[in-house]
Amino acid sequence: MKILVCVKRVPDPETVIKLTPEGASIVTDNVKWVINPFDEIAIEEALRIKEKAAGTEVVLLSIGQKTAQEQLRTGLAMGADRAILVLTDQVVEPLAVARVIEKLVGTEKPELILMGKQAIDDDSNCAGQMVAELLGWPQATFASKVVLGGDQKGAQVTREVDGGLETLAIPLPAVVTADLRLNEPRYASLPGIMKARKKELKEIPLAELGVDVAPRTRIVKLETPPKRTGGRKVGSVQELVQVLHDEAKVI
Amino acid sequence: MTAGDDIYGSAEHLAFRETVRKFVQSELVPRAREFDHLGRIDKTVYPKMGALGLLGIRWDPQYGGQGLDYSYHAVFLEELALCDNAGVAMGISVQTDMATPALARFGSDALKRKYLTPAIRGEHVGAIAVTEPGAGSDVAAIKTRAVRKGDEWVINGSKMFITNAATADWLCLLAVTDPEAGYGGFSQIIVPTDRPGLTYQLLDKIGNKGSDTGLFFFEDVRVPLSNTIGDPHRGFQQQMNQFQDERMVPIVMAPVVSRQVWEATLKHSQERVVFGKPLAKMQVNQHKFVDMMIQITAAEEFARRCIRKVVRGEDATLDISMAKVFCTAVEQFVANTCVQLFGGAGYCWENPAARAFVDSRLVSIGGGADEVMKQVVAKILQV
């Protein structure tokens, strides 16, 4: 079978983010870029399926600038077979991302699409769902366990929901989005890194796909969370209740 | 272009650095003090490193190695140096740089299959056994004797200050095999540590506490003649060659550790207020930080000069001998200065400067003492 894994280049979660003076984007100088951690989990899951089912091909897909090659190479070093990079300098919103994926599904014809449940940069959490809708495929989001049927015609996907776990049975082809506890991604090994150099990384200019990617939204303003201030000690339960009522106005 | 880009700035080098960094930071750093208490590395670390291809970077792919040049290995050593435990970094580098190079370069196909391949996989841990109670830097004065009996060597003697003493599965031993033949009378022999007659005793070091260092006793220890590495008459020369790999380790690691301790100390000095202002803002201390950084920068460049020469396959004996003296002296100077800047905290084991202070004392002794390095340099320069 063929698995398409969608990979986004995002700032390292440990990077300290600074806003530009206009306040609608972030300063990208000196930012370390990584694979979106949830997408990395999706890659790992695809590789584990491949290890169990011989003949499985894992294809990575990213949309963005040429620099996203770095993240695709990392995924190839982890063990994916080949990669596609849809080149564009413009901001691509979740709906546009979903349309690009839909278009490439037409040519690649995967049986399974795996992607992170959300990207940690804008936290939209909707591209996977939109892809499923556009393709008319079943979707299983927030996966914490994926068990592929022996006949590769369906999968059982366990999802983390409020108050417990929910297990869905879905026919393939389908879209599955990965949650944090699905697996722990491997490191790229040195032999993997050297092999990745020779794997195919195809670049397709976005314009060639003929997909409507016009933005529907505009970022008005970004704000950093308020700076943490020190706590305050109160003398008694009575004083605590009073402060919560009079000052914090939460009770 | 940043420093070192010409040797290890490629996309593959950067990706590899990321892999080693992730491994070191998530598998070794959190367990650094545990290994101190254990007095050795947990051996389960080795197979994980083997699976990532870290233990045979330079060796022949036929035996499980990666067949890459020293630039990748330098990246590995630089990141390993940041594992927050000099003993652990030393134990692992004994495996990669001190016990296996001669085997990889001169060993027979059968010997490499038997000992090199498992070492590269991390299934075996190796140790290097050259120094003796009566002979250290004066290598030719060793007395441990291997006598040929039938198709076996029978070994008697003792070996001192052996890293990985308790964890090693085999030793790369240097023994006298022909006392009449001078420098042609030594052989390198692989000795599995489970052989009858081979015992060890651990030593209590002042630093490098995360590694197991010991004394070995050989009493009629028998190993097959086929365990001889390369030419039985060229053991001394093969070991001298292997020493170049060993000496590169502190050259590459000392500047990295020095910078790490410098950064930790600067952070402390910026936060610590004395007489109304941060310690770091006092001119006397500003100069200390600058003096240290001048030395660290020079050591980093000296290390890269050696790495370049090794990568290009040039004879680097002169540079390696000088850089070992210089880079380790810089680490000692930095560690000592940082202890002073930390004050009382710098005298406690939990403090990075304190550990660097005792750990760094070893690096101008092990692998060829400063005095021996200077004699090598004097000979080459004909002074």
Side-chain angles (χ1 to χ4, degrees), chain A residues 32 187-188 190-191 193 197, chain B residues 12 16 18-19 26 52 66 72:
Chain A
K32 189 183 159 204
Y187 312 126
L190 182 50
I193 291 166
R197 276 203 294 202
Chain B
E12 285 74 31
F16 178 53
E18 193 63 29
T19 286
S26 61
L52 291 174
Q66 307 305 323
Y72 286 90

Side-chain angles (χ1 to χ4, degrees), chain B residues 44-348:
Chain B
T44 62
V45 163
Y46 286 96
K48 290 183 191 171
M49 300 181 79
L52 291 174
L54 307 184
L55 297 175
I57 296 169
R58 296 176 288 158
W59 311 140
D60 191 340
Q62 210 184 328
Y63 305 101
Q66 307 305 323
L68 297 169
D69 69 35
Y70 196 84
S71 59
Y72 286 90
H73 193 63
V75 168
F76 167 69
L77 291 177
E78 285 185 355
E79 292 300 322
L80 179 62
L82 296 171
C83 76
D84 197 25
N85 190 318
V88 170
M90 178 172 73
I92 293 169
S93 62
V94 161
Q95 167 95 341
T96 52
D97 295 80
M98 304 172 204
T100 50
L103 174 62
R105 288 189 191 119
F106 309 112
S108 67
D109 175 63
L111 199 61
K112 283 192 272 197
R113 285 190 194 283
K114 194 162 180 196
Y115 294 105
L116 183 61
T117 300
I120 290 173
R121 287 201 191 123
E123 292 158 3
H124 279 181
V125 175
I128 174 73
V130 174
T131 300
E132 297 185 0
S137 294
D138 182 10
V139 176
I142 62 165
K143 297 272 180 283
T144 296
R145 183 88 163 86
V147 178
R148 192 175 173 153
K149 289 219 174 117
D151 56 1
E152 284 186 321
W153 290 116
V154 180
I155 307 162
N156 280 284
S158 57
K159 290 288 172 182
M160 190 68 157
F161 309 129
I162 308 306
T163 303
N164 293 347
T167 38
D169 295 286
W170 51 262
L171 310 174
C172 173
L173 173 80
L174 186 69
V176 178
T177 44
D178 185 355
E180 311 303 315
Y183 289 113
F186 299 87
S187 306
Q188 283 183 304
I189 304 164
I190 299 274
V191 182
T193 51
D194 60 1
R195 285 299 145 114
L198 182 60
T199 52
Y200 72 89
Q201 189 185 319
L202 286 176
L203 300 165
D204 189 11
K205 307 184 298 301
I206 62 166
N208 273 33
K209 289 186 176 291
S211 87
D212 43 334
T213 304
L215 169 61
F216 275 92
F217 304 97
F218 296 75
E219 287 172 78
D220 291 329
V221 176
R222 289 168 177 272
V223 296
L225 286 179
S226 58
N227 273 25
T228 312
I229 299 172
D231 186 338
H233 297 288
R234 290 193 53 82
F236 185 85
Q237 293 75 9
Q238 290 173 189
Q239 180 53 42
M240 288 300 129
N241 173 292
Q242 186 163 251
F243 269 140
Q244 298 302 313
D245 294 83
E246 175 164 352
R247 289 167 191 162
M248 279 300 288
V249 175
I251 292 171
V252 175
M253 288 188 172
V256 176
V257 175
S258 302
R259 184 177 280 273
Q260 187 186 31
V261 174
W262 184 92
E263 283 170 357
T265 309
L266 180 63
K267 188 168 179 286
H268 164 80
S269 303
Q270 284 168 339
E271 288 164 3
R272 169 93 167 146
V273 175
V274 280
F275 304 111
K277 65 176 178 179
L279 207 56
K281 286 290 168 209
M282 301 187 151
Q283 195 179 46
V284 65
N285 291 333
Q286 286 176 322
H287 283 201
K288 279 182 191 155
F289 281 109
V290 172
D291 286 342
M292 285 192 282
M293 191 44 76
I294 290 169
Q295 297 290 315
I296 293 167
T297 306
E300 286 170 342
E301 280 309 311
F302 208 161
R304 289 189 189 114
R305 176 185 167 91
C306 293
I307 295 167
R308 277 185 202 105
K309 288 205 169 188
V310 173
V311 170
R312 290 197 296 250
E314 295 168 17
D315 180 6
T317 311
L318 175 63
D319 285 288
I320 288 175
S321 306
M322 294 195 293
K324 182 172 182 290
V325 174
F326 183 74
C327 295
T328 60
V330 168
E331 187 182 354
Q332 290 175 356
F333 163 65
V334 169
N336 191 30
T337 309
C338 289
V339 166
Q340 190 69 22
L341 282 158
F342 265 109
Y347 200 63
C348 299

